[in-house]
Amino acid sequence: MFIIAGLGNPTREYEKTRHNAGFEAIDVLADKLGIRVTDKKHRAYCGMGMIGMEKVILSKPQTFMNLSGESIGAMADFYKVDPKQIIVICDDINLPEGQLRIRTKGSAGGHNGLKDIINHLGTQEFLRIRVGVGEKPKEMDLADYVLGRFPKEQEALMENAYKEAAEAAIMMVTDGADMAMNHFNRKK
């Protein structure tokens, strides 16, 4: 079994913001797989389904970004899922808009949602799909930037990135993380 969790902040106030890239990718993945992510469990909206022969749980933690580990850790404990079978999709300000970066482990890289997940899982060894949202302007506060929305001219680029993140998650489950890294970790 795999847990595929998209990070973001709940409530309409944060819809379509840079920080909600994970939620957006989960919505695309759920639509593609025909999974309804509406069950309220483990402080998240969840839905179960299959990717190939593997059972998957799609999750959108409702704990707010900085406490994402509370939800994902509880889910991993309940379903007895090894951290190496958890895929986290999140935003990344260190990547250009729309670019993906897949990793099998690593530090939080300054991302508070990932930091909390590492803390709750007790390991850095879980899979990640980082979706580039672009570098913040120097004069702008980080919170204001990640909680801001994309300009109109970048919306199509980001919609494509969410589709690619969904495809990457499927490939990670069916063909392994190495295959997904070889395919998606390319410069744009």
Side-chain angles (χ1 to χ4, degrees):
M1 176 184 287
F2 282 81
I3 295 170
I4 305 174
L7 303 190
N9 286 311
T11 73
R12 287 184 188 262
E13 177 184 354
Y14 299 105
E15 283 180 4
K16 305 285 185 195
T17 62
R18 290 177 181 89
H19 231 11
N20 277 30
F23 277 11
E24 297 290 334
I26 287 291
D27 289 343
V28 171
L29 181 59
D31 189 51
K32 188 175 183 75
L33 298 173
I35 297 173
R36 292 174 40 137
V37 183
T38 54
D39 295 340
K40 290 184 179 179
K41 297 179 184 177
H42 314 288
R43 299 181 71 191
Y45 285 114
C46 301
M48 287 190 145
M50 300 291 287
I51 294 178
M53 301 302 291
E54 292 284 347
K55 190 179 288 188
V56 296
I57 301 168
L58 304 186
S59 170
K60 291 166 63 174
Q62 299 297 294
T63 53
F64 287 91
M65 180 64 78
N66 295 354
L67 301 176
S68 297
E70 291 179 9
S71 173
I72 294 170
M75 203 174 304
D77 287 344
F78 183 82
Y79 292 106
K80 309 284 186 261
V81 174
D82 185 287
K84 292 178 182 175
Q85 301 289 106
I86 297 172
I87 301 170
V88 174
I89 307 173
C90 65
D91 62 300
D92 190 329
I93 62 166
N94 297 310
L95 291 173
E97 293 88 345
Q99 185 173 326
L100 299 187
R101 180 69 33 91
I102 298 170
R103 293 282 183 257
T104 57
K105 61 184 176 184
S107 72
H111 194 288
N112 289 331
L114 291 177
K115 192 181 301 178
D116 197 57
I117 294 167
I118 291 166
N119 184 47
H120 279 83
L121 294 178
T123 182
Q124 295 183 359
E125 294 193 27
F126 57 90
L127 305 169
R128 305 114 195 266
I129 301 171
R130 297 175 80 124
V131 179
V133 297
E135 187 177 0
K136 81 167 186 67
K138 292 197 184 337
E139 69 280 355
M140 193 172 200
D141 177 69
L142 179 60
D144 290 340
Y145 181 72
V146 296
L147 297 177
R149 289 174 174 77
F150 293 97
K152 276 271 189 249
E153 62 271 11
Q154 290 180 347
E155 287 176 1
L157 174 70
M158 293 311 299
E159 289 299 323
N160 187 60
Y162 304 141
K163 288 178 189 165
E164 283 197 339
E167 291 167 15
I170 291 170
M171 185 179 286
M172 291 170 87
V173 171
T174 59
D175 300 314
D178 288 343
M179 177 82 79
M181 285 191 289
N182 288 336
H183 186 78
F184 290 99
N185 286 358
R186 60 187 186 277
K187 298 280 185 209
K188 292 217 173 205

